[in-house]
Amino acid sequence: MVGVRPVTRTRLRSSLVHSVAYDADTHVLEIELSGRRLYRFFAVPRDVYEGLLRAESKVTFFNREIRPKFPFEGPKDRPHRLLTAADGAGHDTEHAAS
């Protein structure tokens, strides 16, 4: 496609947050959750993206610092809600992969 450039996706070790990709030019953050659910967040500053990578709990950071603060688009067939232990949030033992 013309005008589309690849953005590096970073895999995370998490039972819920599988991977992230950030485009510094457009400030778009893509987050892939379990079940291959892809969310795209807009107007996300780079320091928020870096905070997610550094966070001990990606799910907690996502629920507190990203989801309620930035406009997003995601799966149309699922209600947008906070993630809970039923989603696997209680098993959050991830770190950014190199």
Side-chain angles (χ1 to χ4, degrees):
M1 282 181 131
V2 176
V4 176
R5 63 183 180 74
V7 177
T8 302
R9 184 163 293 282
T10 301
R11 294 215 172 270
L12 304 177
R13 291 184 206 160
S14 170
S15 60
L16 190 62
V17 181
H18 289 227
S19 67
V20 296
Y22 182 71
D23 186 327
D25 292 336
T26 62
H27 303 280
V28 172
L29 173 63
E30 288 185 354
I31 298 179
E32 179 191 5
L33 300 179
S34 63
R36 305 261 242 200
R37 293 177 289 163
L38 185 66
Y39 291 84
R40 186 170 288 146
F41 292 84
F42 303 97
V44 178
R46 184 175 189 87
D47 63 319
V48 172
Y49 164 67
E50 291 171 351
L52 174 63
L53 295 179
R54 287 191 309 267
E56 185 174 324
S57 171
K58 294 347 181 205
V59 174
T60 299
F61 190 92
F62 173 72
N63 278 330
R64 290 184 183 165
E65 303 299 328
I66 297 172
R67 194 162 199 170
K69 296 182 180 181
F70 299 99
F72 67 93
E73 63 182 26
K76 305 293 187 241
D77 59 337
R78 295 179 182 262
H80 300 296
R81 60 184 173 75
L82 292 180
L83 303 174
T84 66
D87 297 307
H91 303 82
D92 205 23
T93 59
E94 70 287 295
H95 301 287
S98 355

